[in-house]
Amino acid sequence: MNLIEKLESGQRLSYEDGVALYDLDLFTLGMYADKIRRNKYQNKTYFNINRHINPTNICKDVCQFCAYSASRKNPKPYTMSHDEIMKTVDNSVKNGIKEVHIVSAHNPDSGLQWYLDVFRKIKEKYPDLHVKALTAAEIHFLSEEYNLSYQDIIDKMIENGVDSMPGGGAEIFDEKVRKRICGGKVTSDQWLEIHKLWHTAGRQSNATMLFGHIEKPEHRIDHMVRLRELQDKSGGFNAFIPLVYQRENNFLKVKNFMKGQEILKTMAISRLMLDNIPHIKAYWVTSTVKLALLSQEFGANDLDGTIEKESINSAAGAASATGMPLQEFVDVISNSGFTPIERDSLYNEVRDWSIESKWKLNPKT
Ligand code: V47
């Protein structure tokens, strides 16, 4: 069976097929990715009302792509107090957030208990607020600092109110590329092992991929195949999030920025390769809002959320420092021809905002 026949029949694609997909033209890829997306979700695009909190930028690791951690590129170290974090959560809850997404640098001074206490405080005050916290990279860091197993840290996270794990820290699994861009932090096998343990505990998580730096298309496909293999066994990944590399204020010297076409191709190929991960998220923070909206026609069915404030990607040039107001978020999805569906953090549908918006504009209808 040739590649087009496989795409027509929906047969699982091999690593070699995945690499060959990059030789197809964008519209062919888009057509097949869109077909799958529409079969599963029709015209719906999911988003949630969330808040990102990045409590500290002091980091023991030096990832070459990172502009967020305090270093000679960003000489402004900070650590938020629990009071500051709680005030932020209080304000955001008043603004209607349903999820708080807490990820940080690997700060040896903060301490495991510091994290656990803040998760517990949030959960005690707001039992219905979904806490998505700690990347596999942070779990690995904490396990080394405190000489605890991954399982110990995971048990403590669950005891203290963490509901799900974000997908950060995956970067690119290929060991040679990984060594160059973030040698010294969690390895690919360890990242996958931590998510496997999390899924075995009955919990769900996401998976990211950082692309558009020094990696090649075959590394992206290898990354997707490794995730697909784990998902076959553990089944706990909700969403795959291809993160477009932002090139400002960091140590990686990347001359050629990816073209929009390559970003859309990667979005479509993610949908085609990852037949067992339900949601493909176009993270507007790194792709730009315009490309995220276009990605809806190239396999993506989720646009993350309103965010309110974001520090990691905005430090490297993304226009996400202040999030996006809810009405604007809903409007851009509607105006691009899709139906904005608010979801909870585990992808249960909460509200159809196209109806809500119409009602707001004309309360009598
Ligand atoms: O892990 C760091 C990435 C990630 C850069 O799980 C960069 O729902 C681009 O993981 N250019 C953090 N990316 C963000 C993240 C995430 C975001 C949204 C949703 C979810 C989810 C997870 O940001 C890091 C790293 O891979 N990152 N520097 C940069 N220069």
Side-chain angles (χ1 to χ4, degrees), residues 194-214:
I194 291 168
H195 281 263
K196 185 171 153 205
L197 291 170
W198 184 255
H199 298 168
T200 308
R203 299 297 175 122
Q204 295 173 37
S205 67
N206 291 334
T208 57
M209 174 180 79
L210 181 66
F211 73 114
H213 43 88
I214 58 165

Side-chain angles (χ1 to χ4, degrees), residues 48 50 52 54 63-68 99 101 103-104 132 135 137 164-172 185 191 195 205-211 213 239-241 243-250 252 257 281 283-286 302 304-305 307 310 312-318 343 345 347:
N48 72 352
N50 61 350
H52 282 220
N54 308 119
C63 296
Q64 300 297 301
F65 54 78
C66 183
Y68 167 67
E99 171 192 287
H101 177 158
V103 296
S104 272
K132 180 161 89 178
T135 64
S164 70
M165 260 178 75
E171 323 311 357
I172 274 282
K185 78 168 182 189
W191 190 98
H195 281 263
S205 67
N206 291 334
T208 57
M209 174 180 79
L210 181 66
F211 73 114
H213 43 88
F240 177 67
I241 311 154
L243 296 169
V244 180
Y245 168 67
Q246 309 294 300
R247 59 183 160 169
E248 287 177 21
N249 307 320
N250 66 48
L252 260 191
F257 199 49
K281 187 186 281 191
Y283 187 46
W284 61 270
V285 166
T286 64
D302 185 74
D304 197 78
I307 291 172
E310 191 281 330
I312 299 178
N313 301 116
S314 55
R343 58 161 174 87
S345 303
Y347 287 86

